[in-house]
Structure formats: C-alpha cells, structure tokens
Amino acid sequence: MSNRTGSFMWNLRQFSTLVPTSRTVRLCPLGFCRPKIAYSNWNPRNLLLNNFDNRLQASVRCLFQNALIFKSGDDFQTKGVRTVTVLTLDRVLCPRRLSFDSKHSLDSDNELKKTNFHHEASSEDVLIKETKPTPVNSRKLSQECNSLSDVLDTFSKAPTFPSSNYFSAMWTIAKRMSNDQRYFEKQLMFNHPAFNQLCEQVMREAKIMHCDHLLFSLHAVVKLGIPQNTLLVQTLLRVVQERINECDEKCLSVLSTVLQTMEPCKNVDALHAGLRILVDQQVWKIERVFTLQAVMKCIGKDAPVTLKRKLEMKALRELDRFSFLNSQRMFEVLATMNHRSVVLLNECSRMVLGNIHGCPLKVLINILQSCRDLRYRNLDLFKGIADYVATTFDIWKLKQVLLLLILFENLGFRHPGLMDLFMKKVVDEPGFLNVKNVVSILHVYSSLNHFCKRQNQEFLEVMASALTACLHHLSSENLLNAVCSFCMMNHFPLAPVNQLLQKDVIGELLASGDMERNVHKLHILAACLKLDDAPYHKAVDVGLPPLPPALLCPDAKVAEVLSSLVGDEYFSKNVQLPHNYHIDFEIRMDSNRTQVLPFSGADAVTSAADVQRSVYCLDSTHPKGFLAMKMRHLKGMGFHVILVNNWEMEKLEMKDAVTFLKTEIYSTEPLPSADVNLQSTR
C-alpha cells in the first residue's frame, strides 16, 4: 500500500510541475474573435483538455486513463463562455498509449493493476456514472435539433467525443434549409458562444479521432462555408495529409468529394498529389462504383495519362455493375478529368437510352454538355434524347428546351421535329421572348439552317418584332449577332438593321476587344445587303478593315480526279471571289454544260462549277448556316455549286470518284435561279 501511495504522490508532483496554477489561453481557431478563457484554482480533478499539449508527460496520460478529468461545478471559470460539465478520457480518446518516463512509474502502473484500483467501489465511481454524458451520433443530433444553434447548445451542455458529430449534424440540418434560411443560420452559428470552443475541440481531436470522423469533419466544415484560409480548415487539411495512408475506401470517397469543392492552395495541392499516389496504389482494390467515380472526378485534368488509363480500365471492368445513375454520371466524370474513352462512353450511352423515360431534363443537359466538352459525337444518343424531349414536349419549360437546342447546335446536331415544335410554341407564346432568348434562338436556327415551310415567315416576323421591342436594351454585340442571324436566314428587319448601321454603333464594335469577330460579321452583313434580295441596298458607310487571308488547302484527291477528268488547264484552284468568298476549284463551261472551256481561251464565261469542302449538320447532307448563305450568294453570282464530302471522297476508288464528279459536272439539270432559297435543303 505504501508503494502504491508513494507512486501516486510522485506522479502527482510531476503533474503539478507541468501545469501552472493559473493560465490564460487565447482561442482563435477561425480568426473571427479572440476570447480569453482563464483557468484558476487548479487541481487534478479540474484538468481541462485545453491544457493537453506536448508538455504533458506519458506517465500522466497513462495515470489518468479511464479516470475522471472533467468535473461540473463552479470551479471552472470562463469569460462569457459556458463549457463542459463532465468528460472522461478513455482509450477511444487517447488510443496511442505511451510508456512511463521512469522505472518507478512503470512499477507504479503494475502495482495499480495488481490492486485493481479502477474497480474499487466508491462515491467517486457513482459520481462518474451519474454525470457521464451520453454519446450521440450525428444522425441522432440532426433529428433532435432544428437549427445549427441547437446543435451548438447541445455541445456546450455536454460535449462528447468525437466532436466531428456536431459539425456533421449541422451540415445535415443545413441541407434541409432554403438558401435564405441557411445564410441566416450560418450567421447565428458564427456568433454562437460555443462555436469557437467547438472549433478548438475539433483541432485538438484531429490527430486522435478515427480517420473517417476526421474526413467527415473536413467535409462538413467546408460545406458549411467556413473560410478555407482559417486555422481550423488548414489544420484539418494538414492532419489529413499526415494520416492519408489510413484512408480506406469510404475515406477516399469523402476526401475526393471535399477536394473537388476547394480552391487551390498549398495544403490542397499536397492532398491532391497524395491522393493520386494513393489511388494509383489502391485502384484495383476499390469495390464501389460510386467511390471509383468520385476518385476519377477528383484527380483532375492534369493527372498523368497512365493514371487516367488505369482508372478507365477499372471502370470498364466494373461495367456489369453500373447502375443507370452510374452511367449518367460517367459522362460528367470523364469530362471533368478530360479523358475521352469512346468504349466507355458508348456503353454508357446505350444504358442511358435504355432507361431514358422519366430521366430529368437537367441530367440530359449535363450529358450533352459533357459530350460537347469531350468532342464525343453519338448520333443515336442525340436522336434518342431529342425524340424523348419531343414526345414529352408539353411537360418542359421553353427555357429548358432552348438550353437543349443550344447544346445540340454546339454539337452540330439538328432534329427537325423538335425544332418545328419549338418554332410553333414561340409563335403561339411570344411573351416568352426576352433579350437573351431572342439572340439565342436566332443563333440556333440560323446556324443549323432550319426553317419550317408552314411557319417560317410567321416565325421570322415574331422574332423580328420581339427584337425590335427590346432594341434599346441590346448591347452592340448582341445587336450585331441578332442581325447577322437574320441575314443568314435571308430576312432583313428594317429597324434593327438601321440601328446597327449607325456610325457610332459600328465604331463601338470596331473598338471592342473582340474586333476581329465583329469585323467578320460586319462583312457578312455587307455581303448580304448587296447580294440578297434586301428591301434596300444601303451599304456599310464606315470602311471595314480587311479580313485576314483564308488558308485553304484543296483536297488532293479531288484535284487528282479533276486532272484526270478534264485536264490541268481546264480548272483553277483556290479562287478568290468578291465579298471575301473563296472556292476550292472553278471550271468554265458552255451554256449547255456539255463542254469544258480552257481558262486561256477568249470565249466568254457563261457558267461555272464550284467544288468545295462542305460543312453539314451531324451525319446528314443538310448544309449549316454559313455554307447555305455562301451557296445562295454564289448562285446569285452565276455559279453552279457542287458540294463534295471529303470523307466520302476518300472512301471511293479513283474510278468511282471520277464517275461521281463527271455526273455532277455534266448534269443535265437546269441551273437554279438566283433566288432559290437553299434553306429548303434537308
């Protein structure tokens, strides 16, 4: 007994020398405020976790394991903060047991075990059992509390380990709120007296809590909008770096999700690098598809190609386990990591089409955005999405359908049925149109060169009326874009064109940052006013800068075919025409189109053939807007236009290619009149 008493008193003296009897601590985990918390009248039962630092020796930590170190009452004095009542420091709180500093301490520990000191019944044991706080988890907290302040109140009354549960509960509650309510609750959270104490508690526990709790803390803290440059966030990031090797699959998923939302900084960049190394080592051990996709999305566009391919192979192995949601999400995942896996995209497209009914339009829009970013063209996927939207057209808002059409235009895909439905809806409900919608709709329909015979003129008049109504609210660039779209569709609304031709408007366009693009569109306007059947022939008065010369490279196979068909002296290459138009090849023929004439001859030119590369809508022979306008203008200048698809010409044998061009050049069909509307080509 005397040995045990001596050992206890020795440890107590050692402990007393380590902690001062009065201490003032500054807490500033976030930098929002710096409250002073004073600890006075110190005794061994008043020891606060705030005083646990590197100066505490291992013998003291072992001595107080499974013993009461917090006690309720008035002994604990704070300044404006009411804190903990009772806590125990058990093996969960301090999982890393340290050895004693001396042999004397080791002998004391053995003696304590032999005498079963911790199991002696006493009034102190009863007090511990009565005042020990009940452990809570984040789910229970989020169910019992209705606000973020309620969670902080619960923490201030009886904090439990781990403190990550409180932040996780607050984020769960915040997700249920509206944006305005969430903003108000966050302000109350930052100003709550216990908030700084909770942040300090989380930082102290960061190195000893389980890895999943650590990452859930980081996730909740970031989602709650706590600034990234605060001490709390940076401390958690640093500790995660130190313990990243402890991450299991669940931790990898949480860490990947958090890093996607964080701004670059030294600690975030270091975690990104560490995550890539860890994923490269453990990629084949990942079992859940959701975790795999989260990791793929997080590694970023600048990840090594070898790592991207390894993740792609892992995803291909897991294809049989892909759900419909996994297939939808894979498009966005591949776009985020900038990795174009055609095999994976084709399989996911097939699964999306098989389960497209009931799919939210937002998901379909995300898929199309990813296809655009990846330069992935799948006609079956695009047609399936367009057919589904056209079938369920009445349940969607026009704004949603317009966004879909804009993405289809970016992809070069034209769906006549859906575009006809949208035109009809615009004619029936012109109140939907505003400044932004008018410019976007005109761009889509002019770029894809789409018109409906039954409603085309009515549609153009409705759009012109809507544009005229908001003329004073248009910027110079938007006015130029809208008028050029009308010109490409061979329609010239008087008021917008007159407004655009004002000298001050043109001067503003020529002085803007995107001058080259504006000059190109002004040249298009000038050509249309002169070559098309415009109601007036007013030209652009201000001298426009010349456009840079176009770098054309005529197709070598087409040149070889023409050489064998008519001879080198009977056609010319890279022909420059007025209004900045270029054609690949020109051939001179007689009026009956039965004889080719040499360029050196003195005979007058009565007709011409133009062979050029063409720009069509996706997987069709329908020319896009600029090409259709160019063909209209070339025919107005007396040319007979022949369009040749380079990819089709490359597939043909030389004999078949000669036959094809001979049929087109010596066609017996009469030359079309100059006023043919090429928009009718489908």
Side-chain angles (χ1 to χ4, degrees):
M1 180 64 68
S2 60
N3 290 337
R4 187 183 69 176
T5 304
S7 299
F8 180 83
M9 295 304 297
W10 183 87
N11 280 293
L12 184 59
R13 285 194 300 272
Q14 293 294 322
F15 192 82
S16 300
T17 60
L18 292 174
V19 183
T21 58
S22 180
R23 183 181 181 188
T24 299
V25 180
R26 291 183 178 271
L27 295 178
C28 51
L30 294 177
F32 296 129
C33 55
R34 295 175 178 266
K36 295 183 179 180
I37 300 181
Y39 304 90
S40 59
N41 300 327
W42 177 88
N43 61 64
R45 296 186 185 277
N46 272 26
L47 178 63
L48 290 176
L49 192 58
N50 302 55
N51 294 327
F52 269 49
D53 53 24
N54 293 332
R55 291 177 297 175
L56 292 181
Q57 301 297 322
S59 58
V60 179
R61 296 185 65 179
C62 288
L63 173 64
F64 283 91
Q65 278 191 344
N66 296 320
L68 180 67
I69 63 170
F70 283 94
K71 184 176 180 181
S72 60
D74 298 330
D75 293 337
F76 174 52
Q77 301 293 329
T78 64
K79 184 177 180 180
V81 180
R82 182 183 178 186
T83 52
V84 264
T85 56
V86 176
L87 267 181
T88 58
L89 183 63
D90 53 16
R91 296 179 186 274
V92 177
L93 186 60
C94 296
R96 298 177 178 84
R97 183 179 180 92
L98 303 178
S99 60
F100 281 177
D101 296 332
S102 65
K103 180 179 178 181
H104 181 73
S105 300
L106 183 61
D107 295 338
S108 300
D109 183 45
N110 294 333
E111 187 67 23
L112 286 173
K113 290 182 179 180
K114 292 178 182 179
T115 57
N116 198 18
F117 174 76
H118 293 293
H119 294 283
E120 292 180 357
S122 64
S123 60
E124 189 68 27
D125 295 332
V126 176
L127 178 63
I128 294 174
K129 294 179 180 179
E130 290 179 352
T131 59
K132 183 177 180 180
T134 304
V136 293
N137 55 44
S138 59
R139 179 177 299 179
K140 184 177 180 181
L141 269 177
S142 62
Q143 293 172 351
E144 295 177 349
C145 300
N146 297 320
S147 66
L148 308 186
S149 298
D150 290 346
V151 178
L152 292 172
D153 290 340
T154 303
F155 167 77
S156 64
K157 293 176 183 177
T160 59
F161 179 85
S163 300
S164 60
N165 287 333
Y166 298 98
F167 272 119
S168 298
M170 285 194 289
W171 169 235
T172 302
I173 295 172
K175 287 191 295 184
R176 302 196 295 253
M177 299 177 178
S178 62
N179 292 334
D180 293 338
Q181 185 182 5
R182 187 182 302 130
Y183 175 81
F184 178 73
E185 285 289 338
K186 285 182 181 179
Q187 300 308 310
L188 295 178
M189 177 189 71
F190 290 138
N191 295 324
H192 195 282
F195 180 64
N196 280 324
Q197 183 186 359
L198 175 59
C199 296
E200 186 74 18
Q201 189 83 352
V202 170
M203 287 192 293
R204 285 195 301 267
E205 296 176 358
K207 291 190 176 183
I208 60 175
M209 69 173 63
H210 290 296
C211 188
D212 55 345
H213 290 158
L214 173 64
L215 288 168
F216 281 132
S217 297
L218 178 61
H219 178 265
V221 163
V222 172
K223 290 294 185 180
L224 284 171
I226 297 177
Q228 186 172 317
N229 60 349
T230 55
L231 179 61
L232 173 62
V233 177
Q234 295 299 319
T235 299
L236 293 177
L237 289 172
R238 184 63 181 175
V239 176
V240 172
Q241 293 178 44
E242 297 172 358
R243 302 180 58 185
I244 193 171
N245 287 329
E246 301 176 28
C247 290
D248 55 10
E249 184 173 333
K250 183 179 181 181
C251 294
L252 278 179
S253 179
V254 178
L255 179 59
S256 301
T257 304
V258 173
L259 290 179
Q260 293 173 34
T261 62
M262 302 193 74
E263 297 295 329
C265 68
K266 290 184 178 180
N267 283 325
V268 171
D269 295 342
L271 265 181
H272 267 293
L275 179 65
R276 289 174 182 174
I277 296 174
L278 190 64
V279 170
D280 188 55
Q281 296 172 350
Q282 299 185 8
V283 60
W284 305 114
K285 300 178 182 178
I286 297 177
E287 297 180 356
R288 297 176 63 237
V289 176
F290 180 84
T291 302
L292 176 64
Q293 291 182 330
V295 169
M296 294 174 69
K297 195 173 180 181
C298 179
I299 64 168
K301 298 181 179 181
D302 55 343
V305 177
T306 54
L307 178 57
K308 292 182 179 180
R309 289 177 178 173
K310 186 180 292 188
L311 290 168
E312 176 191 359
M313 292 301 299
K314 175 64 177 178
L316 289 173
R317 289 188 180 185
E318 301 294 332
L319 269 176
D320 295 338
R321 299 173 53 206
F322 270 33
S323 65
F324 177 43
L325 295 178
N326 294 142
S327 301
Q328 293 175 350
R329 193 164 182 257
M330 185 53 70
F331 288 88
E332 183 182 1
V333 168
L334 292 174
T336 303
M337 63 187 296
N338 193 26
H339 185 67
R340 186 171 177 265
S341 173
V342 177
V343 177
L344 196 54
L345 289 170
N346 288 342
E347 289 298 319
C348 291
S349 298
R350 181 180 57 80
M351 295 184 67
V352 168
L353 289 175
N355 300 272
I356 196 171
H357 294 285
C359 183
L361 192 62
K362 181 180 179 181
V363 174
L364 299 178
I365 289 173
N366 289 337
I367 290 175
L368 293 177
Q369 288 174 334
S370 300
C371 292
R372 177 197 60 192
D373 296 340
L374 291 170
R375 301 176 301 281
Y376 173 68
R377 304 292 187 267
N378 188 322
L379 183 64
D380 293 334
L381 176 64
F382 300 161
K383 188 175 184 301
I385 293 176
D387 288 341
Y388 169 66
V389 175
T391 304
T392 58
F393 186 81
D394 293 333
I395 69 174
W396 309 115
K397 296 179 181 179
L398 286 180
K399 183 178 180 181
Q400 294 175 310
V401 181
L402 176 58
L403 182 56
L404 197 76
L405 291 177
I406 292 174
L407 290 171
F408 279 144
E409 186 276 329
N410 293 338
L411 294 164
F413 174 73
R414 170 178 169 268
H415 191 276
L418 181 59
M419 298 188 75
D420 287 347
L421 285 174
F422 189 83
M423 287 179 68
K424 183 178 183 302
K425 196 71 171 179
V426 169
V427 172
D428 295 340
E429 300 179 10
F432 153 75
L433 299 173
N434 55 35
V435 175
K436 186 176 181 180
N437 290 341
V438 168
V439 176
S440 299
I441 294 171
L442 288 173
H443 172 73
V444 169
Y445 279 79
S446 63
S447 176
L448 294 177
N449 185 34
H450 179 83
F451 92 110
C452 179
K453 291 182 179 180
R454 294 172 296 177
Q455 290 185 319
N456 188 61
Q457 191 61 32
E458 188 177 2
F459 170 74
L460 292 175
E461 290 175 357
V462 169
M463 297 300 298
S465 177
L467 182 65
T468 304
C470 58
L471 203 56
H472 298 290
H473 304 287
L474 280 174
S475 64
S476 300
E477 286 78 8
N478 282 336
L479 178 61
L480 176 62
N481 294 335
V483 171
C484 279
S485 297
F486 273 121
C487 291
M488 291 174 69
M489 293 187 288
N490 200 13
H491 188 75
F492 303 91
L494 188 61
V497 173
N498 284 335
Q499 177 72 17
L500 179 61
L501 294 180
Q502 299 295 324
K503 290 186 178 181
D504 57 338
V505 176
I506 294 180
E508 183 180 348
L509 291 171
L510 296 179
S512 66
D514 200 2
M515 187 191 71
E516 185 176 345
R517 175 176 172 273
N518 292 339
V519 168
H520 175 70
K521 293 205 169 194
L522 287 172
H523 276 287
I524 292 177
L525 174 62
C528 289
L529 291 178
K530 187 170 183 179
L531 298 176
D532 284 324
D533 189 16
Y536 51 86
H537 298 280
K538 181 180 178 181
V540 180
D541 296 333
V542 181
L544 298 177
L547 292 174
L551 299 177
L552 294 179
C553 183
D555 187 86
K557 187 169 185 179
V558 176
E560 184 180 359
V561 172
L562 286 176
S563 179
S564 63
L565 182 63
V566 298
D568 293 337
E569 67 276 10
Y570 288 94
F571 71 92
S572 60
K573 305 177 184 178
N574 289 337
V575 181
Q576 174 72 50
L577 298 176
H579 305 289
N580 298 289
Y581 282 134
H582 300 78
I583 55 177
D584 295 321
F585 303 98
E586 180 183 0
I587 303 173
R588 297 186 178 185
M589 304 183 71
D590 61 8
S591 58
N592 297 323
R593 295 178 61 196
T594 58
Q595 184 179 359
V596 178
L597 303 177
F599 277 82
S600 58
D603 297 336
V605 177
T606 57
S607 65
D610 173 38
V611 183
Q612 64 173 15
R613 287 180 300 273
S614 58
V615 180
Y616 295 115
C617 292
L618 183 63
D619 199 35
S620 70
T621 58
H622 182 81
K624 297 182 73 174
F626 182 78
L627 176 60
M629 179 187 67
K630 181 178 179 180
M631 292 171 62
R632 185 172 73 240
H633 290 169
L634 289 177
K635 289 190 177 184
M637 288 186 281
F639 285 84
H640 173 67
V641 181
I642 299 175
L643 297 179
V644 178
N645 291 327
N646 287 348
W647 62 90
E648 291 183 355
M649 184 63 68
E650 293 297 330
K651 296 178 182 178
L652 296 176
E653 298 291 339
M654 181 60 66
K655 181 180 178 180
D656 297 331
V658 171
T659 302
F660 168 75
L661 284 183
K662 183 177 181 180
T663 303
E664 292 293 329
I665 293 173
Y666 296 101
S667 174
T668 58
E669 296 180 2
L671 288 173
S673 59
D675 59 349
V676 171
N677 190 344
L678 291 172
Q679 291 176 323
S680 61
T681 305
R682 288 204 177 220

